[in-house]
Amino acid sequence: MNNEVVITCAVTGAGDTVGRHPDIPVTPEQIAESALDAARAGAAIVHCHVRDPTTGKGSRDVSLYREVVARIRDSDTDVVINLTAGMGGDLFIGPDERPTDFGAETDLLPAGANFTAFAISRRQMAFVAQSVLLGGHVRVGLEDNLYLSRGVFATNAQLVERARKIVELMGARVLGPDEARARFGLVKRA
């Protein structure tokens, strides 16, 4: 079991969730505010995609990323910022005869590796507990799950609060941003 857990919040993702949740963060301002709310709720890391503010679809526009980062950094909230431009479908494996044979089970992670596990939809919180039990860290957020409970839309902060409660009820401690940086060997940028 991991007794010192880092919570990451995947704020918005790039998937087609805008029409399925009334408050998916879309604009740089909304994404930054939701990331900051998640940080205040206990997330040490915020995992941010950006979206086209007009269409709500995933984007790789560097100016949108700059605005999100500037808004987060200009706040008084310390959080590790993890930017990603992945939109899915960018992974190509092969052309070997066995492209998905990555080796035996015990060879997938080296001993002492830091890892984070997550699940989508209603299994998200079950995987919070499972990851901690297996020695990992956790990720929650609207990128992977839109609901707090059946029919009740979540916010990123609510999902982080619930994950934090699970971690703490398991007897583990949630690490803050500075402790996460130390754990992962990250350097804080000005």
Side-chain angles (χ1 to χ4, degrees):
M1 180 172 147
N2 183 2
N3 290 306
E4 294 186 324
V5 178
V6 173
I7 297 176
T8 297
C9 182
V11 178
T12 190
D16 187 23
T17 54
V18 173
R20 296 186 298 154
H21 188 298
D23 296 315
I24 290 292
V26 173
T27 68
E29 180 179 18
Q30 292 168 341
I31 293 168
E33 278 305 311
S34 192
L36 292 168
D37 288 345
R40 290 181 198 108
I45 301 171
V46 289
H47 170 88
C48 298
H49 293 262
V50 295
R51 292 176 175 268
D52 180 301
T54 305
T55 66
K57 295 195 182 297
S59 174
R60 290 184 171 134
D61 184 334
V62 174
S63 67
L64 298 173
Y65 282 101
R66 278 193 190 108
E67 186 176 348
V68 168
V69 170
R71 287 175 178 279
I72 293 171
R73 286 188 175 158
D74 287 345
S75 76
D76 62 353
T77 305
D78 185 29
V79 67
V80 177
I81 303 170
N82 168 222
L83 301 178
T84 180
M87 308 269 205
D90 291 350
L91 177 65
F92 297 96
I93 301 174
D96 300 296
E97 291 178 24
R98 297 171 56 183
T100 59
D101 183 2
F102 298 111
E105 286 182 35
T106 58
D107 295 335
L108 296 179
L109 283 177
N114 285 298
F115 69 92
T116 298
F118 68 97
I120 60 171
S121 195
R122 66 179 186 227
R123 301 286 185 237
Q124 189 173 68
M125 293 304 155
F127 264 74
V128 166
Q130 184 70 24
S131 186
V132 172
L133 286 172
L134 292 174
H137 301 281
V138 300
R139 170 179 136 164
V140 296
L142 294 177
E143 177 171 342
D144 308 316
N145 175 29
L146 303 178
Y147 297 95
L148 193 58
S149 60
R150 186 176 182 97
V152 178
F153 287 115
T155 66
N156 282 305
Q158 289 171 323
L159 294 170
V160 170
E161 288 167 359
R162 180 150 306 159
R164 180 184 194 114
K165 184 174 184 176
I166 291 168
V167 169
E168 290 173 344
L169 287 171
M170 293 176 71
R173 186 170 71 85
V174 174
L175 300 182
D178 285 338
E179 294 168 304
R181 286 183 187 94
R183 169 67 62 95
F184 301 137
L186 303 174
V187 177
K188 185 174 181 176
R189 298 195 177 190

